[in-house]
Amino acid sequence: DKVRNTTLAFKTPKLGFTLGLWKDGWIRVQRVAQTCPHFLALAPGDALLRVGDDKVPVPFPRDDFAGLLRKLSAAPRPLELTFVRVLDDAPAPPATSPEFALVEDPPTPAA
């Protein structure tokens, strides 16, 4: 399988996608909203590799997942996130699959 890494810069507080911590230990994109600034670049199943210069550990500790979402929400913009996609792989499980713990897009802090 071929692997492709993509680094995307998010300039607005709302990221526009949902992350899930999957049973394989990877944090993956679960859903991408049409309002996401990188709607065409992100796809369900893409795995989060880096937040800025910080590597995301795999397997990711389940107890740290909510803290990571808060960090993403509060991080200064632009926020660079690097994702990896395995090409020609099996499609991502549907949103009803038990393969992940679904967590919604981080809430936008009140101004």
Side-chain angles (χ1 to χ4, degrees):
D1 291 336
K2 297 178 182 175
V3 174
R4 184 180 75 207
N5 289 1
T6 305
T7 299
L8 304 171
F10 292 84
K11 298 176 182 175
T12 60
K14 184 101 172 133
L15 298 175
F17 61 88
T18 303
L19 291 173
L21 178 56
W22 290 21
K23 287 183 180 177
D24 64 5
W26 287 87
I27 293 176
R28 296 183 184 270
V29 173
Q30 199 51 49
R31 188 173 57 240
V32 183
Q34 290 186 352
T35 55
C36 176
H38 300 291
F39 176 71
L40 297 176
L42 274 180
D46 289 353
L48 183 62
L49 278 185
R50 292 184 178 277
V51 176
D53 293 329
D54 298 332
K55 188 172 181 185
V56 175
V58 178
F60 193 85
R62 182 172 294 274
D63 292 346
D64 295 345
F65 187 56
L68 175 72
L69 294 183
R70 284 192 298 273
K71 177 182 175 180
L72 292 176
S73 179
R77 303 302 194 256
L79 174 63
E80 284 195 350
L81 301 176
T82 302
F83 295 89
V84 62
R85 179 179 302 170
V86 178
L87 306 174
D88 303 321
D89 202 15
T96 55
S97 167
E99 292 302 314
F100 62 90
L102 181 63
V103 176
E104 292 298 322
D105 197 21
T108 304

